[in-house]
Amino acid sequence: VPHTYEANNRMSNFYPGLYNQANAPIFLSDGSISPASPGLGTSPNPILAGTQFYLNGIGIAGQPGVPTGLVDNHWAAFGPRVGFAYDLTGSGKTILRGGFGTMYERIQGNDMYNAGPNVPFSSSVTFNNVLLSNPNTSAQSGATLAAPITVADITGLNKQEYKLPVSYQYSIGIQQALGAKTVLSASYVGNQNRHQNDYRESNLPDPSLLPAIATGTASAPYNQLVPFQGFHSIKLSETVQNSHYNGFQTEFRSQVRRDLTLQAAYTLSRAIDPATNATGVGDLTNVSNPYSYTYDDGPSGLDRTHIFFANFIYDLPIFRNSSNKLLKGTVGGWQISGIVTAVSGNALNITQGGRGNNISNVLPNTNNRPDINGSISYPKTVNQWFNTSVFSDPAAGTFGNTPFDVLRAPGRQNWNLALFKSFVISESRGTRFELRAESFNTFNHTEFKDVSTTFSNGNFGAITSAHDPREIQLGAKLIF
């Protein structure tokens, strides 16, 4: 699985092994880098010819020691798959099924796209009071303005930690026939996922400096306290995270006589995933605490402990076989169908927000959580879904001890029902008239949805939205 690359090698990346501490920059009083600093260079981009950049630690794609895709390719992606089905009794009514598979993936280019603006291929300069005909010329003095050598931010890839993401998936279960048209199944389904992707801030000051940085009492500006001076943020994509899923899944399917078709299923499951976005899916998300690989370990945003659904189609027998053609054509032959869903609430991640001496206000690409000082209860009111009094600001420059995705949002119970009938106008020509009446959230349950989870918000802990109320729609169709 070769990694994505830019065809003309117009890409750069930061490599800690290329950074020479002896070539640390000289800072000017305004925070920019002195033109007399070591480690400077120019851009291969002809548009930026002559523009100076601080390039200590920067590698250009295709140059000696730098892969075209900025990270190494991985060719030995051996992905076996095996499955079996075994008739336990020989009667075809009790079947044992199982399987195992190894699946690989790669980050589909987004890591490279995000690295596109890196120095020295891109630069952003702001000049004030310049000529529109030549933005490099001062309108006041006529002098040619020189762009300062700024401290750059880097979005790159961690060459040392970029193995292929892999998922090991497995299942085993039994299916039992209950009569000619009914099947009951029960299965264990699981997966183990390794080398999953994240973004991690890598230019980190010593943890002992964090309280002073957060309170603004540090001995030097932030850019002079980081290990790779000359750069502010160095955010590197890496594949180091793990996740897993375990689920007990049951299903019942039946054709009850000729009137009722029924399917129902229930899943008891647990999903652990450190992805910090609300849905728990997607690559290239920032880790909250770059000093700790375990800070974001917890339930996935996709985790639902209990999932139940049922659906059915029922042919109403009333007047279906009536000898009265009028009754049979108008009252008989109606069908009712429905989908019933009951699901546990998703996990909620509590964040600190901008209040207090939050370290994430000054430490780039991070996200802090508050401290938790007791057990969590759920009043389950609109204004307070969970007890907010147990949370408090962490000490300045520290990451809060609230676990990742520690809370649960409201669950959901929903009924969608439909009534429909087909009126035959001409059997020989296949002409018929169909009438449908459908309802969503039929019983108009108030189904709460989103909860405010930012500690600094005034509505912290309150319900902020709900799923749609009952909706009814009517439809008619003439087929001829």
Side-chain angles (χ1 to χ4, degrees), residues 148-460:
I149 305 172
T150 56
V151 176
D153 288 329
I154 298 294
T155 300
L157 297 80
N158 188 338
K159 184 176 183 293
Q160 283 68 43
E161 297 288 355
Y162 229 77
K163 295 181 179 179
L164 285 177
V166 59
S167 178
Y168 305 102
Q169 303 181 14
Y170 38 84
S171 65
I172 188 167
I174 191 167
Q175 290 181 309
Q176 177 66 51
L178 305 173
K181 297 181 179 180
T182 301
V183 176
L184 176 66
S185 63
S187 302
Y188 164 71
V189 178
N191 61 53
Q192 297 285 330
N193 309 298
R194 299 293 180 263
H195 311 301
Q196 303 300 295
N197 179 264
D198 68 35
Y199 262 130
R200 186 179 301 272
E201 177 58 44
S202 301
N203 201 17
L204 296 170
D206 188 279
S208 63
L209 301 176
L210 296 182
I213 292 174
T215 56
T217 59
S219 59
Y222 180 87
N223 291 340
Q224 299 178 33
L225 299 175
V226 294
F228 303 114
Q229 295 186 19
F231 302 97
H232 175 66
S233 164
I234 302 177
K235 185 174 73 169
L236 298 182
S237 175
E238 58 184 9
T239 56
V240 299
Q241 299 285 8
N242 299 323
S243 65
H244 65 266
Y245 168 86
N246 293 284
F248 173 67
Q249 302 177 359
T250 60
E251 183 185 15
F252 176 83
R253 289 183 287 115
S254 181
Q255 176 70 48
V256 183
R257 296 183 179 179
R258 69 171 192 168
D259 298 329
L260 177 63
T261 301
L262 175 65
Q263 180 186 22
Y266 168 74
T267 298
L268 173 66
S269 64
R270 180 74 163 172
I272 302 297
D273 188 340
T276 55
N277 54 340
T279 60
V281 295
D283 53 26
L284 306 172
T285 58
N286 294 335
V287 297
S288 299
N289 179 359
Y291 294 93
S292 170
Y293 276 89
T294 62
Y295 191 68
D296 289 331
D297 285 350
S300 168
L302 296 174
D303 181 66
R304 306 292 188 276
T305 305
H306 304 283
I307 301 174
F308 171 81
F309 81 88
N311 61 72
F312 63 90
I313 300 176
Y314 182 48
D315 294 326
L316 297 175
I318 302 174
F319 295 108
R320 184 175 57 196
N321 300 315
S322 174
S323 59
N324 187 313
K325 292 185 177 181
L326 178 62
L327 289 177
K328 181 179 179 180
T330 56
V331 182
W334 285 85
Q335 290 180 317
I336 184 172
S337 66
I339 300 174
V340 182
T341 305
V343 184
S344 297
N346 58 284
L348 296 175
N349 186 33
I350 304 299
T351 58
Q352 186 182 3
R355 62 184 291 159
N357 294 314
N358 189 351
I359 188 59
S360 64
N361 293 337
V362 290
L363 195 64
N365 305 309
T366 60
N367 200 1
N368 203 358
R369 298 195 284 270
D371 279 344
I372 187 170
N373 310 292
S375 59
I376 300 172
S377 60
Y378 289 84
K380 295 186 178 181
T381 65
V382 172
N383 293 326
Q384 191 178 53
W385 175 253
F386 57 86
N387 178 19
T388 60
S389 64
V390 298
F391 298 97
S392 62
D393 286 314
T398 65
F399 286 88
N401 64 9
T402 297
F404 178 65
D405 277 0
V406 67
L407 296 175
R408 289 286 168 169
R412 189 179 187 191
Q413 180 200 124
N414 188 67
W415 292 67
N416 297 333
L417 299 177
L419 184 67
F420 51 98
K421 177 175 172 54
S422 180
F423 299 87
V424 177
I425 299 175
S426 172
E427 291 185 0
S428 61
R429 299 182 59 183
T431 304
R432 66 184 188 273
F433 177 72
E434 292 183 355
L435 184 65
R436 295 182 69 94
E438 298 172 314
S439 62
F440 305 92
N441 189 3
T442 303
F443 301 110
N444 206 28
H445 290 151
T446 300
E447 300 176 320
F448 295 128
K449 186 179 179 182
D450 297 315
V451 182
S452 176
T453 57
T454 303
F455 186 45
S456 62
N457 286 355
N459 64 345
F460 176 57

